[in-house]
Amino acid sequence: MRLRSSNPVLKRALKQSGTGGYGQPGYGQPYPQQGYPQQGYGQPGYGQPYPQAGYPQQGYAQPGHPQPGYPAAPVQGADAQPMTIDDVVVRTGMTLGTVALLGAVNYFLFSFNPGLALLLTVVGALGGLVLGLIIGFKQSTSPGLILTYAGLEGLLVGGFSALLGAQLAASTGDAGASASLVSQAVVGTVAVFAVMLALYKFRIIKVTDGFVKAVTFAVLGAAALMLVNFVLSFFMAGGLGLREPTLLGLGVSLVFVVIAALTLAIEFRGIEEGVQVGIPAKFAWQFAFGLTVSLVWLYIEILRLLWILKSMFAE
């Protein structure tokens, strides 16, 4: 049965396995026997079964005839084993743990050395963008690259959280506003993740190819809009006002939260399909990367949404 998927991770995994989307050799699907007699079994009309003495069969260990490159009991490495949900969960836990650790460091650094914290935030933003594009386009499964990306995103998340928290504390006069903002954003992110997982699991949301295309175009549109707003911010305060504590900014943030949440459903579909066809476990790193990208974006948008709401009501 041929698997058709719009997920680039699955396409790459199936291409590497050389199956083009058909049954996966080594993952529970036997090779088809196309009417050719198998070596090593008696053939009709021949008194002597193959193989003949002195002619070891390729791929089967013969007594006294070791087969170079064809061990009798091949041992697969851990990354060559079929991927499981646990593989994705463990690797995602590692990436999110790295984000949280570096985020906490930069968040608390902001209180003691704001200049250094802001510098690390910029490094995290630019470095994470570049490395994320490299990992995404190359479909890299390198743990080192993906964990480095997670660390850079942690610097961005921690510094950005501290910056918005400091602005909110200054506008409201509440010293605890920063910690409250961050904790509520974390809880909101976890809640949205749980809701999206439930919606996907019970098929309330059906992730079709059309759904994937629509969300992809929405993500590209959001990125283009933010780029225009960023460029215009150099010529006018606040750019188009899309990220300011106004009704326009509130509406944009709500839309972006929804888009970020929908990208999680796409990741869930990719993981489910990957487990079903038994792609190698190393590709769990790519799914962990995808989930990390979606969750970091979702957290940042929820954080900004809460900041806008609190800032508007404070005024």
Side-chain angles (χ1 to χ4, degrees):
M1 183 177 183
R2 188 178 182 89
L3 172 69
R4 297 183 181 276
S5 175
S6 58
N7 190 294
V9 179
L10 289 177
K11 287 182 179 180
R12 181 184 175 219
L14 296 174
K15 182 178 180 181
Q16 286 186 354
S17 68
T19 63
Y22 292 91
Q24 308 300 305
Y27 300 109
Q29 298 294 331
Y31 287 98
Q33 306 298 323
Q34 300 179 348
Y36 294 98
Q38 298 183 21
Q39 289 185 339
Y41 296 91
Q43 307 299 315
Y46 293 89
Q48 300 297 326
Y50 288 99
Q52 302 298 326
Y55 295 90
Q57 296 181 52
Q58 193 177 48
Y60 296 87
Q62 304 297 320
H65 296 279
Q67 304 299 309
Y70 295 90
V75 179
Q76 292 183 333
D79 282 346
Q81 298 296 323
M83 186 182 78
T84 65
I85 292 292
D86 288 344
D87 292 328
V88 180
V89 171
V90 169
R91 286 156 179 76
T92 304
M94 294 171 66
T95 56
L96 293 180
T98 303
V99 172
L101 178 61
L102 271 295
V105 169
N106 205 27
Y107 178 83
F108 289 109
L109 179 62
F110 189 89
S111 301
F112 304 99
N113 193 334
L116 178 59
L118 288 176
L119 176 61
L120 291 177
T121 302
V122 173
V123 170
L126 297 179
L129 175 62
V130 172
L131 191 55
L133 290 174
I134 292 174
I135 294 172
F137 282 112
K138 293 183 64 177
Q139 293 297 311
S140 173
T141 57
S142 168
L145 282 180
I146 293 173
L147 289 175
T148 300
Y149 167 81
L152 291 170
E153 289 297 283
L155 294 176
L156 168 62
V157 166
F160 188 68
S161 299
L163 181 61
L164 288 189
Q167 291 179 0
L168 183 63
S171 63
T172 61
D174 181 6
S178 179
S180 175
L181 177 68
V182 172
S183 61
Q184 289 174 5
V186 170
V187 171
T189 302
V190 173
V192 172
F193 176 85
V195 169
M196 290 304 302
L197 183 59
L199 291 176
Y200 179 81
K201 179 177 177 60
F202 295 106
R203 296 299 188 263
I204 297 174
I205 288 182
K206 293 180 173 58
V207 185
T208 62
D209 289 344
F211 177 95
V212 174
K213 290 180 181 179
V215 174
T216 300
F217 286 134
V219 171
L220 293 176
L225 190 61
M226 289 304 95
L227 180 60
V228 171
N229 187 69
F230 176 74
V231 172
L232 291 179
S233 66
F234 289 102
F235 304 99
M236 61 181 73
L240 297 173
L242 303 180
R243 307 269 75 182
E244 300 301 312
T246 61
L247 287 177
L248 176 60
L250 178 62
V252 171
S253 290
L254 283 171
V255 171
F256 283 6
V257 166
V258 172
I259 296 174
L262 293 178
T263 63
L264 288 172
I266 296 176
E267 295 299 327
F268 297 152
R269 171 188 166 178
I271 294 168
E272 182 179 41
E273 291 180 346
V275 171
Q276 287 176 350
V277 301
I279 64 175
K282 67 178 183 179
F283 287 98
W285 280 109
Q286 257 295 315
F287 289 115
F289 166 73
L291 285 172
T292 302
V293 171
S294 294
L295 286 171
V296 166
W297 184 27
L298 179 62
Y299 168 81
I300 288 176
E301 292 303 331
I302 291 178
L303 182 77
R304 186 181 288 277
L305 176 63
L306 292 172
W307 172 76
I308 290 175
L309 286 171
K310 290 175 178 288
S311 297
M312 289 176 65
F313 282 109
E315 295 175 357

